[in-house]
Amino acid sequence: ALFQHLADCTLFLYISLLVGTMTTLLGDALRGMSLDTDEYVSLMTKLIGDVKHVQNNPRQGLVPSEGVMVPHLMEVLGPHTTESGGPLIVEQLVYKDGRPNVKITYPGTEPELTVGLIGSHLDVVPANPETWERDPFALTVEGDRLHGRGTTDCLGHVGMITLLFKALAEKKPALRRSVVALFIVGEEGGESGVGVDMVVQSGRIDELKNGTCFWIDSADSQPCTGTAGAMQWHLKATGRLFHSGLPHRGINSLELASEAMAIVQRRFYEDFPAHELEEKYGFATPSTMKPTQVECARGALNQIPPWTTISGDVRLSPFYDPVAVMEKVGGYLKDINDNIESVPTRGPCSKYTLEGDDVDVKRGKVEITWTDDVESVRQMEGIACDLDSPGLKALIDSTKEVKGSAKPYAITGSLPLVRQMKDAGFDVQISGYGLSSTYHADNEYALLSDMKDAFQILLRVISIADKEDYGKDV
């Protein structure tokens, strides 16, 4: 009996030590909290059920009404707001009717100190039900998978963070730092004057400069240390329409556009090669400039097209200036036009200049336009997060404890305003808990288990940030 008692005690101590080891990063104030999966599925059912109204693509005439999401959030948060006698401060920050950004604050005892969970957005990219295997506008639960538009990007995060704040309000832990969430609008459409740009400009989250802002809108449950800038362009070549049986009397805009594109790309990669810091941050690819669409004048197949437009984008690593790229590319086009005779041709009858009194177009030309102006390009500039940030260390340590390993990465996807926020004094760190494989894709889904883990990771981040020695060992 004595030996059995000793064995039982040893086993108890082992289990206690094991449990203690597993929760070393989670302070006493936040222990015992977890994502209520039934409530999460219920909330997501309501959010995805209204997702048709928050599709965002202005070029397709789709302007979201993110306000339809707010009642679902308030159904969860309302009983815990200050108006209802609870601790949560919920504000709607509106810069365009029907499109509120939602700010949630769980006040700390030292309100000048903060930790921010920002960037999760209330709009989604469009979905075409005809190309989906399931209804994109309804939540479908299949085992661990939650199917529907917005489950990964980004309503899955919105739902999870909403329930995290409900859990804080119910447990009422005494935290030094205020925990602040900001759900934003207008993220997918690249809009200005409606979303996080206005929130920052109006100073409504200035308090978040007194801590780390965790931007929750990436994927794969790992810290993201950097993003790229995004710039869309349209290269148009103008030639001369003529019968294809007399090609020497026309200027083939399709050939000119192709050759000009080759010159522009070659010079771009010479001027903006892979940067030495990209490897340090873990970028999978360097800066790129590539065509993604082509369009030409619609005519008969026996006509040389008078104009051709090649469109595409630049994905620019954060170590290059996007405005410098715009200026350089403009210079490439000027050189092509000034030396059009030197542009390679295709075959003995291909040419980009013509002579003759009866010729209305004597010289081909190329021009480039950028979809966005300089201000908008700056808003989509890439970020290289501070690798020495205590917030990044907290995120890495928390991810490692919950997921078993942490593998920070950088990606040439883009997020709005993060670079400007960093330049304005915010410590911005990035993570996300959907799946990159289903981002913006047909049949989008997220994993319920990943959202449960995300809840635990963010609890640990908050716990670490709340310690008095936060940042002193970095």
Side-chain angles (χ1 to χ4, degrees), residues 141-159:
V141 181
E142 296 178 356
D144 195 31
R145 292 188 177 189
L146 305 179
H147 294 266
R149 176 58 88 215
T151 49
T152 268
D153 183 27
C154 187
L155 295 173
H157 294 130
V158 170

Side-chain angles (χ1 to χ4, degrees), residues 13-26 31 401:
L13 287 172
Y14 174 76
I15 294 174
S16 299
L17 287 171
L18 180 61
V19 172
T21 300
M22 291 173 62
T23 58
T24 52
L25 298 181
L26 195 58
R31 291 190 184 183
E401 182 167 280

Side-chain angles (χ1 to χ4, degrees), residues 27-163:
D28 292 340
L30 296 177
R31 291 190 184 183
M33 299 169 63
S34 61
L35 181 65
D36 184 327
T37 55
D38 290 338
E39 189 170 16
Y40 180 71
V41 170
S42 175
L43 176 56
M44 288 300 295
T45 298
K46 296 170 185 176
L47 294 176
I48 304 304
D50 272 337
V51 82
K52 183 182 296 185
H53 306 296
V54 295
Q55 296 177 95
N56 193 348
N57 189 323
R59 295 181 184 87
Q60 294 181 9
L62 293 172
V63 178
S65 299
E66 292 95 339
V68 302
M69 295 296 174
V70 175
H72 304 313
L73 305 181
M74 292 308 299
E75 184 179 349
V76 174
L77 299 173
H80 306 286
T81 63
T82 52
E83 291 84 353
S84 300
L88 299 182
I89 302 169
V90 180
E91 305 168 80
Q92 296 186 40
L93 311 179
V94 183
Y95 306 98
K96 189 169 290 187
D97 288 345
R99 308 188 66 185
N101 303 271
V102 180
K103 180 182 178 183
I104 313 167
T105 303
Y106 179 80
T109 58
E110 300 178 36
E112 72 279 6
L113 301 177
T114 60
V115 56
L117 306 176
I118 68 174
S120 297
H121 51 92
L122 299 171
D123 60 332
V124 301
V125 295
N128 179 3
E130 294 181 1
T131 61
W132 281 57
E133 296 173 2
R134 302 163 189 84
D135 184 354
F137 306 130
L139 185 72
T140 302
V141 181
E142 296 178 356
D144 195 31
R145 292 188 177 189
L146 305 179
H147 294 266
R149 176 58 88 215
T151 49
T152 268
D153 183 27
C154 187
L155 295 173
H157 294 130
V158 170
M160 180 269 295
I161 293 171
T162 296
L163 291 179

Side-chain angles (χ1 to χ4, degrees), residues 126-206:
N128 179 3
E130 294 181 1
T131 61
W132 281 57
E133 296 173 2
R134 302 163 189 84
D135 184 354
F137 306 130
L139 185 72
T140 302
V141 181
E142 296 178 356
D144 195 31
R145 292 188 177 189
L146 305 179
H147 294 266
R149 176 58 88 215
T151 49
T152 268
D153 183 27
C154 187
L155 295 173
H157 294 130
V158 170
M160 180 269 295
I161 293 171
T162 296
L163 291 179
L164 188 151
F165 273 82
K166 179 189 177 184
L168 289 173
E170 290 178 336
K171 189 174 178 65
K172 297 183 177 63
L175 301 177
R176 293 170 59 242
R177 291 181 182 268
S178 295
V179 185
V180 181
L182 179 69
F183 302 144
I184 63 174
V185 302
E187 196 272 348
E188 294 292 6
E191 302 157 86
S192 59
V194 62
V196 66
D197 58 324
M198 296 300 296
V199 176
V200 172
Q201 288 176 28
S202 61
R204 298 303 298 269
I205 57 170
D206 276 357

Side-chain angles (χ1 to χ4, degrees), residues 25 76 136 187 222 261 271 291 320 344 376 401 411 423 468 474:
L25 298 181
V76 174
E187 196 272 348
Q222 293 293 336
M261 188 72 251
D271 289 336
Y320 289 116
S376 298
E401 182 167 280
I411 191 170
D423 293 345
E468 290 189 11
V474 175

